[in-house]
Amino acid sequence: MKVDAVRGHLDGLLLAVLEPGPLHGYAIIAAVQQRSGGVLELRTGTIYPALNRLERTGLLSSSWQSSGERRRRCYELTDAGRRTLAGERTAWREFTAAIGSVLNPGPPPGLTT
């Protein structure tokens, strides 16, 4: 799927995959891909700027963690990030309901069959 298709929803996707607990960048990419059934393939050049922005705005925090000899920056939700994720989910439900109403209209109101 094209990156343009997730533009505007990237923050919500990143917050959602971090909800269960901290992950490093590659694990975030893998989680999005796995949870989307392989449809969404985010690139490092897409997620790292977004992660940095989300951290600057206080929705994520990060820390360095070691895995063997490798150090990785791990990201996790802050309380503000959890509240924002709840808002993103509500907005997504409203958006998909509105689009669904246009693409798959039901019978006009008052019409009985």
Side-chain angles (χ1 to χ4, degrees), residues 18 21-29 44 47-56 60-67 69-77:
L18 287 166
L23 294 172
H24 57 83
Y26 178 76
I28 293 169
I29 292 170
T44 57
I47 70 146
Y48 285 108
L51 291 170
N52 290 330
R53 181 177 40 74
L54 292 169
E55 185 174 19
R56 279 193 315 274
L60 299 179
S61 62
S62 70
S63 61
W64 287 100
Q65 296 184 2
S66 295
S67 176
E69 293 186 23
R70 177 179 279 196
R71 288 186 53 182
R72 295 179 172 169
R73 192 163 204 67
C74 290
Y75 299 87
E76 65 182 311
L77 291 181

Side-chain angles (χ1 to χ4, degrees), residues 11-111:
D11 291 0
L13 294 172
L14 297 176
L15 295 173
V17 298
L18 287 166
E19 185 177 30
L23 294 172
H24 57 83
Y26 178 76
I28 293 169
I29 292 170
V32 169
Q33 188 173 12
Q34 188 262 335
R35 286 172 69 167
S36 71
V39 174
L40 300 176
E41 294 182 26
L42 302 179
R43 297 182 177 173
T44 57
T46 300
I47 70 146
Y48 285 108
L51 291 170
N52 290 330
R53 181 177 40 74
L54 292 169
E55 185 174 19
R56 279 193 315 274
T57 59
L59 302 180
L60 299 179
S61 62
S62 70
S63 61
W64 287 100
Q65 296 184 2
S66 295
S67 176
E69 293 186 23
R70 177 179 279 196
R71 288 186 53 182
R72 295 179 172 169
R73 192 163 204 67
C74 290
Y75 299 87
E76 65 182 311
L77 291 181
T78 62
D79 289 341
R82 290 185 191 288
R83 288 189 299 273
T84 298
L85 176 57
E88 290 278 339
R89 285 184 169 138
T90 298
W92 177 253
R93 283 191 296 275
E94 292 169 356
F95 175 76
T96 57
I99 297 298
S101 295
V102 174
L103 293 177
N104 300 309
L111 182 67

